Amino acid sequence: MTIREQLEERELEYLSPYAARSRESKGREKEETECDIRPVFQRDRDRILHCKAFRRLRQKTQVFLLPDGDHYRTRLTHTLEVSQNARTIAKALRLNEDLAEAIALGHDLGHTPFGHAGERALNKVYHFEHNVQSLRVVECLERHGRGLNLTWEVRDGILNHKTAGHPVTLEGCVVRLSDKIAYINHDIDDATRGGILTEDEIPKEIQRVLGASGKERLDTMVHDVIVNSMERPEIRMSGEVSQAMMDLRKFMFKNVYLNPKAKGEEMKAVHLVRQLFEYYAEHPEGMPEKYQSAIRAGKCEKEQIVCDFIAGMTDHYAVMKYGEIFVPQAWKN
Ligand code: MG
């Protein structure tokens, strides 16, 4: 018996009846020889970690555009926090931790530069959603267009991680909730760091239910999900904590996500992304060869390929390209 087979056996004995089991995966688009060490979801996790789109998350905005401080979240540290929350919950519920981790690490791979400002800009000029793009990254953009050939369960979790999504596995549901828990909490921390918010401004009723510090609130939410999802075929929170979390999210929208101080630069980012889109749609020869050959292959619309190129950019690369195209050489310092 290989090590992988032993690990699969252990899953059958140990995991909750509601967990996704590696051996029962619906499998990959293209069949592959199994690894002798790692079950399928563990292998998928490693593939995502080693892909180029994952490394680019390091220089993509989470909420605050190109902040000067060293301690603001980026799309990469956000992804790691989602993964951490998801693994804690999955482990406590005896769900498949490898599957939850793989989905979490892959969920934002398709995110544009400049956070949701970039996403909105591309969605205005062409239909664009970052969860759909994340799936495109793993299915047909990575590995020179061959994709990562991930299992069905990981792809389902990535595609359905948004609030309105319905992942089929409980591990996918865990990631969907962990994403929300992560961003609400770390965005409060970053907003406090940026002088946009003080802890005292968070309404007292929310503080009473969730806690008065970031650590307490994160702890309350994670505990609440675990306690309320034990031995159940669903992932849920208690009414009280869930309501307080929704109220906190609303509070964040009003005070942080739509705050002119945090969003003051956003119009510039939207403009920049739109200009890049219009430029490359007219001058596809300015894109790297692989995108030009994708257009020639004619499998999807030219606009989609331009979106692939722009969504893949880091904030820095987008600004650099913008400078190259629109700013006269002599004016650049
Ligand atoms: Mg996310």
Side-chain angles (χ1 to χ4, degrees):
M1 211 195 241
T2 64
I3 293 174
R4 169 185 50 83
E5 285 165 338
Q6 290 174 37
L7 292 171
E8 287 172 353
E9 289 276 301
R10 213 180 293 168
E11 281 186 2
L12 296 180
E13 291 160 22
Y14 175 72
L15 290 184
S16 137
Y18 308 116
R21 291 168 169 76
S22 306
R23 193 175 280 176
E24 292 159 11
S25 166
K26 292 187 189 171
R28 310 179 184 284
E29 205 104 284
K30 285 165 240 135
E31 250 185 74
E32 290 181 28
T33 319
E34 295 282 359
C35 175
D36 57 347
I37 306 277
R38 297 163 302 162
V40 280
F41 301 135
Q42 203 184 333
R43 205 175 181 192
D44 282 2
R45 189 266 322 269
D46 297 351
R47 279 181 192 183
I48 292 167
L49 191 78
H50 287 120
C51 81
K52 286 200 240 166
F54 185 78
R55 294 197 290 280
R56 291 198 302 267
L57 296 174
R58 176 172 81 93
Q59 287 192 331
K60 288 187 175 195
T61 285
Q62 172 58 27
V63 167
F64 297 86
L65 293 174
L66 299 174
D68 285 330
D70 286 337
H71 302 128
Y72 289 96
R73 269 68 175 188
T74 64
R75 201 48 68 181
L76 179 63
T77 60
H78 159 70
T79 295
L80 296 174
E81 289 184 43
V82 174
S83 164
Q84 178 65 54
N85 295 342
R87 287 177 57 197
T88 301
I89 297 168
K91 194 168 193 166
L93 296 174
R94 286 185 297 119
L95 297 176
N96 198 314
E97 198 181 333
D98 294 331
L99 173 57
E101 188 179 12
I103 296 170
L105 294 184
H107 85 284
D108 271 351
L109 288 177
H111 226 296
T112 57
F114 313 118
H116 289 282
E119 180 169 26
R120 269 205 303 281
L122 284 187
N123 197 32
K124 269 203 181 136
V125 287
Y126 189 69
H127 48 88
F128 183 91
E129 289 176 289
H130 80 268
N131 57 320
V132 177
Q133 189 67 19
S134 294
L135 193 65
R136 258 184 88 69
V137 168
V138 300
E139 283 186 342
C140 52
L141 296 178
E142 274 296 322
R143 287 189 188 164
H144 308 286
R146 284 175 291 130
L148 302 178
N149 198 30
L150 303 178
T151 54
W152 184 89
E153 291 79 2
V154 173
R155 286 180 287 135
D156 168 74
I158 290 175
L159 180 65
N160 293 301
H161 80 266
K162 291 217 301 194
T163 307
H166 295 284
V168 169
T169 63
L170 286 194
E171 289 79 358
C173 299
V174 167
V175 173
R176 192 183 51 176
L177 196 50
S178 299
D179 186 22
K180 216 177 273 175
I181 293 175
Y183 74 69
I184 290 177
N185 284 298
H186 66 47
D187 290 349
I188 292 175
D189 188 47
D190 280 354
T192 313
R193 179 167 293 109
I196 289 163
L197 198 71
T198 60
E199 289 274 343
D200 302 343
E201 289 171 70
I202 298 172
K204 289 287 165 284
E205 177 55 19
I206 295 177
Q207 293 204 33
R208 185 189 66 76
V209 178
L210 299 178
S213 69
K215 181 184 177 302
E216 282 177 37
R217 285 188 290 269
L218 182 58
D219 226 47
T220 305
M221 292 180 197
V222 170
H223 269 88
D224 192 75
V225 179
I226 293 169
V227 171
N228 288 284
S229 310
M230 286 278 187
E231 316 298 334
R232 270 176 199 273
E234 61 175 338
I235 300 301
R236 46 173 288 180
M237 281 180 142
S238 66
E240 192 185 33
V241 170
S242 167
Q243 185 59 49
M245 189 167 125
M246 278 196 286
D247 293 344
L248 185 54
R249 189 163 173 264
K250 262 187 229 151
F251 169 83
M252 289 295 286
F253 264 95
K254 189 159 164 259
N255 294 278
V256 176
Y257 303 134
L258 306 174
N259 177 307
K261 195 167 169 188
K263 303 278 95 174
E265 295 285 276
E266 207 175 275
M267 278 317 296
K268 297 180 194 171
V270 169
H271 183 71
L272 186 154
V273 168
R274 209 168 59 205
Q275 297 268 98
L276 284 179
F277 178 88
E278 280 161 11
Y279 178 84
Y280 286 115
E282 258 185 51
H283 302 278
E285 72 283 359
M287 295 194 290
E289 171 51 33
K290 66 170 179 176
Y291 296 101
Q292 296 182 44
S293 67
I295 292 177
R296 286 194 298 273
K299 278 191 202 144
C300 44
E301 290 179 80
K302 180 181 75 181
E303 287 76 8
Q304 176 63 62
I305 309 289
V306 175
C307 278
D308 291 342
F309 179 44
I310 294 176
M313 292 179 178
T314 60
D315 293 15
H316 288 268
Y317 188 79
V319 170
M320 189 189 81
K321 282 290 161 197
Y322 186 87
E324 267 178 36
I325 297 167
F326 296 109
V327 181
Q329 272 307 323
W331 291 1
K332 282 194 254 168
N333 44 13

